[in-house]
Amino acid sequence: MKKIYLTLLVIGQCVFAQNKTEKDSTKSQELENIFVTANRTATQRKQTPVAISKLTAKTIDETKATVMNEIINKVPGVLMTNAANEGHMMSIRQPITTNAYFLYLEDGLPIRPMGVFNHNALLEINQFNLQSVEVVKGPASSLYGPEAVGGTINLISLKPSIDPEFKFGFQSDNQGNRRFQAAGGATVGKIGFHVAGISTVQEDGWMINSDYTKNNLNARIDYNITAKTRLISNTMWGIYDSSTNGSVNEYDFYHRTYKNTTPFAYRYSEALRTRLTLEHDWNEKANSYLTVYLRDNTLEQNPSYGIRWSPTVNPTKATGEINSNNFKSYGAIGQHTQKFEFLNTQLVAGALYDYSPVSYWAYLVEMQANLNPGDPGKQTVNNYEITAERPDVKLTDYTADIYNTAGYAQISIQPIEKLIVTAGARYDNMNVDYKNAMDQSTGTKVYDKLTFKAGINYNPIQNTGVYANYAQGFAPPGITSIFRARPGTGGNTGVPAEFYYNLEPATFNNYEMGGWVSLLEGKLRFDYAVYYMEGKNELLSVKIADNSTDYRSVGETSHKGIELGGNYRFLNNQFNFRFGGTVSKHTYIDFQLSDKPSDPIQNLDGYEMPLSPKWSGNSELTYYPKWLPKFRTSIEWQSVGNYYQDQINTFKYAGYDIFNFRAGYQWKGIEIYGNIMNVTDKIYSSYVSRANTANAQSSYTAMPPRTFLIGLQYNFSLKK
């Protein structure tokens, strides 16, 4: 993927040369319309038959984000919810979910191997090392493989600067979050380097027992062997250590009694990712690259979401777990791009091999549930206490060797002027050799799929384009789901453990059309997409009465919506208005929830999927006054509509509207900035869920009250 960076630079320089007599804003606009994710090569928007958005370095820098969702939520059609301490869930053409339907890339390479999805993967990212963020909405499995279903997020890191550059800074807020950050790089002769690091500490925050630390370091070295050959090394290392506060009940949520009911819960992770890429330009029409990589991840936790408590069975007793999930990956990916004069044809082809040994264990923790004294119904817990750790009672215990192999190809042609046709295919094979110590079984699970995509772009005039596409998606079940004992079995239940060996891969068919327009010499940009996606065998988590999770494969689902986004610069470019959002509906078409005659609701055909906001959007108005250069100020609106909390569609959450304010000023190399998050001090939850039983209680993931952040940064450059 490193070839992408040089290609992007070359195209940007060409655009600059061709338009040197135009206004600077027009040149910037040209560059912003180049993407590297949609077709795995640097591609203009008008050649891309998908819904794709890009967040530029300017947008990322001005956001001064504490957590990644503050950046990602600026993409139309994307809702990344904060689950506290940089944990998160995602919604892109899917409900808010932790399912493996989103692919997270770092410079085009998946952060995790297929089958080892983690919905919190983006908490490992160094926000101070981002050049841009590109998001493809809808299936991209034909290029990037399984899990690229709802959306693909590619985090593109900073590359070495030509001239020496250095920046460092500090930011802090009134909720106990402090971060030190530094980055710098240069090019000396044939060698360029860039290093970026952050160190985050949160203490005594708005929720009791919610402290955490995060340290990340990124390093990149580019060696220009010749004018046509480059060797690039990129390494990421990070440690994350956090208390993990859980959800709160309805009374505590609305009274802002933000106590942590699980003060013992924690998450500790270490991550190392390193890669070496060799790029070569054969000529002006052909180039290749080969990347070899290593991933090494360790994750241990006592999760609050693992607590099982039933108010009707034994209200003073509960159970939890301590678990450890570890993997390494050794892999290689190679790609060749070839252009032909005939019909302006471009062919991209590549192959991947990934070997990832995985281990996972979990054991029982016994707890005392201390009920709220003011709750006569004994339906809520004031706090939990650990009474005994039981390493002798295993809940999960397996090892597996995952072998992922894939081959892909995509071709684009221009049969007539202004019309571009694109088609692609990919074959993926995931082979899992496992040993399950819980039932002493060994075996092999194989998941494979050939996925296709096809699309057209029609650009009738220079500043307008439309597209249509059909794309397939494919997502095998995560192996943590396969080897998790079913509720009511294993552990200390006295019932032999039963597992999810028969879970099927989920498949999707996506039909989409959209377009874009640029008016007023690029000052007004607008894009839209209309999609319908049908899913089969979607893996869903069914929350039962004691907070246990049962996995079910849904027969069929439908996902449909409209995504809108745009940008308008006015009053001599002093004001910039960015707007975006999505209206969507996610529905069960064929879902047999229960086979028990005693259950009041057994079939959910036609029901809405829970955690599916009918509307979500993010818009922002920024002011750059001419009378005070290098000053900026903005107001941002984040809006989330109502949705059902449960699968049986009985309780709704009203959603929320919050406002964020940002301002910053640069004087010479010194920048001072401040953010006010949740300006109106809104009481809101990023995630509200409820089991399907009549006496279930809603669980609220409370978000911070009004937060004031201030930062100081020094930027040093020897640019001539």
Side-chain angles (χ1 to χ4, degrees), residues 497-527:
E498 299 177 5
F499 300 94
Y500 297 89
Y501 291 130
N502 295 323
L503 289 177
E504 295 292 331
T507 58
F508 298 83
N509 293 294
N510 183 75
Y511 309 87
E512 179 179 340
M513 62 179 299
W516 61 276
V517 62
S518 179
L519 302 173
L520 304 177
E521 297 182 337
K523 293 181 179 180
L524 173 63
R525 294 184 295 117
F526 178 76
D527 61 77

Side-chain angles (χ1 to χ4, degrees), residues 31-330:
L31 291 172
E32 289 181 7
N33 282 331
I34 295 174
F35 299 86
V36 299
T37 304
N39 296 323
R40 295 192 81 110
T41 60
T43 308
Q44 291 185 329
R45 179 68 184 88
K46 63 183 181 181
Q47 299 172 319
T48 307
V50 296
I52 184 169
S53 298
K54 179 176 181 177
L55 299 175
T56 65
K58 179 181 175 65
T59 299
I60 295 169
D61 180 61
E62 291 183 354
T63 301
K64 305 298 184 188
T66 300
V67 292
M68 279 296 297
N69 67 289
E70 295 173 19
I71 298 173
I72 302 297
N73 281 337
K74 296 179 184 293
V75 177
V78 176
L79 176 60
M80 179 179 175
T81 61
N82 187 359
N85 291 5
E86 302 195 41
H88 57 87
M89 288 171 279
M90 192 66 68
S91 172
I92 310 174
R93 299 192 178 181
Q94 285 279 320
I96 302 169
T97 181
T98 60
N99 283 346
Y101 295 150
F102 312 104
L103 185 61
Y104 302 131
L105 307 171
E106 199 171 40
D107 297 326
L109 189 69
I111 291 177
R112 276 170 167 71
M114 179 169 66
V116 194
F117 177 80
N118 186 334
H119 67 91
N120 285 318
L122 294 186
L123 64 76
E124 299 172 2
I125 298 302
N126 179 353
Q127 300 98 310
F128 209 55
N129 192 51
L130 292 177
Q131 174 65 36
S132 60
V133 177
E134 295 183 356
V135 181
V136 175
K137 287 157 277 187
S141 295
S142 64
L143 275 181
Y144 288 99
E147 299 172 353
V149 174
T152 301
I153 297 179
N154 190 13
L155 303 153
I156 300 173
S157 59
L158 290 164
K159 59 179 180 290
S161 57
I162 301 299
D163 301 304
E165 292 183 356
F166 179 70
K167 59 181 180 179
F168 66 91
F170 170 77
Q171 64 183 45
S172 178
D173 66 31
N174 65 317
Q175 304 298 343
N177 189 285
R178 304 185 302 276
R179 188 170 82 200
F180 295 89
Q181 49 201 19
T187 298
V188 181
K190 293 186 175 184
I191 298 177
F193 68 92
H194 185 270
V195 179
I198 61 171
S199 180
T200 301
V201 177
Q202 178 171 293
E203 295 177 315
D204 301 325
W206 58 278
M207 179 172 280
I208 299 173
N209 297 114
S210 61
D211 296 352
Y212 81 99
T213 61
K214 172 182 172 179
N215 296 284
N216 280 72
L217 183 66
N218 293 75
R220 170 171 169 161
I221 300 175
D222 292 15
Y223 175 38
N224 298 298
I225 302 172
T226 69
K228 293 186 176 182
T229 307
R230 294 157 299 280
L231 189 64
I232 301 170
S233 168
N234 214 331
T235 300
M236 170 272 174
W237 170 83
I239 290 182
Y240 175 86
D241 190 1
S242 174
S243 299
T244 53
N245 50 290
S247 57
V248 298
N249 61 57
E250 188 169 78
Y251 178 88
D252 288 343
F253 173 70
Y254 284 108
H255 287 80
R256 281 192 164 167
T257 310
Y258 294 146
K259 60 178 179 289
N260 188 344
T261 60
T262 58
F264 49 79
Y266 69 90
R267 177 182 294 119
Y268 176 83
S269 72
E270 293 186 31
L272 171 69
R273 292 188 290 274
T274 185
R275 57 197 287 179
L276 186 65
T277 300
L278 179 65
E279 302 174 350
H280 182 69
D281 302 328
W282 302 99
N283 51 54
E284 293 182 354
K285 297 182 180 297
N287 54 72
S288 305
Y289 75 79
L290 175 65
T291 296
V292 294
Y293 60 86
L294 166 70
R295 308 184 191 100
D296 190 351
N297 271 68
T298 299
L299 172 63
E300 183 175 312
Q301 57 182 343
N302 183 336
S304 57
Y305 65 77
I307 294 177
R308 310 289 179 252
W309 172 74
S310 175
T312 58
V313 177
N314 192 341
T316 62
K317 299 295 181 183
T319 62
E321 66 179 71
I322 292 176
N323 63 49
S324 179
N325 187 4
N326 312 296
F327 73 87
K328 291 185 178 180
S329 294
Y330 311 88

Side-chain angles (χ1 to χ4, degrees), residues 114 141 145-146 403-407 426-432 444-451 472-477 503-507:
M114 179 169 66
S141 295
Y403 301 89
N404 289 320
T405 55
R426 177 180 174 123
Y427 174 72
D428 281 281
N429 181 289
M430 184 174 84
N431 188 301
V432 183
T444 300
K445 303 288 291 183
V446 178
Y447 305 94
D448 64 339
K449 183 71 175 179
L450 182 64
T451 52
Q472 295 178 329
F474 164 60
L503 289 177
E504 295 292 331
T507 58

